[in-house]
Amino acid sequence: SAYTDALAAMCDDLNTPVALAAGLRGANAILGVSRQPDGLSMESAESALAFLNRIDALLGIVGLATEADDAGADDPLAEQVETLLAEREAARAARDFARADALRDEIAALGVEVMDTPSGPTWRRTP
């Protein structure tokens, strides 16, 4: 299996290129099944999640949401920051950079740092 290959590679002098390739092979297999007309059955979905959790525990590359992440859904600060970030992204898309900068400053005043990434903005509370 892909997990067994990844584990064997890591046990072989931390051969991460081979381990990552095995993890990717497993993820591609999951994607292949999920794109079929019938999609993933409940059993297949549970198996896929178990595989992703095991690969994440081994390599730390999957980044699945945890219950602790879900607990932040009721966090008023998180809701406020997400709303302000959405407004900021809309301002940036409209090329209203003065408004986007003002929103970034407003977010910073809440004790939050915004990091712009290729996949969109992320944020974290500043220490």
Side-chain angles (χ1 to χ4, degrees), residues 8-9 23 32 37 39 41 43-44 46 48 59 68 82 87-88 93 97 99 101 105 114-115 118 122-124 127:
S41 67
E43 183 178 317
S44 294
E46 289 172 356
L59 302 173
E82 290 297 331
E87 289 179 36
R88 180 174 172 265
F97 298 114
R99 175 74 178 137
D101 289 344
D105 292 342
V114 175
M115 289 94 45
T122 60
W123 62 276
R124 67 177 179 183

Side-chain angles (χ1 to χ4, degrees), residues 33-49:
V33 171
S34 69
R35 290 181 179 146
Q36 292 177 358
D38 294 339
L40 289 172
S41 67
M42 182 57 79
E43 183 178 317
S44 294
E46 289 172 356
S47 177
L49 183 58

Side-chain angles (χ1 to χ4, degrees), residues 52 56 60-66 69:
L52 293 172
D56 189 50
I61 59 171
V62 177
L64 297 173
T66 64
D69 295 335

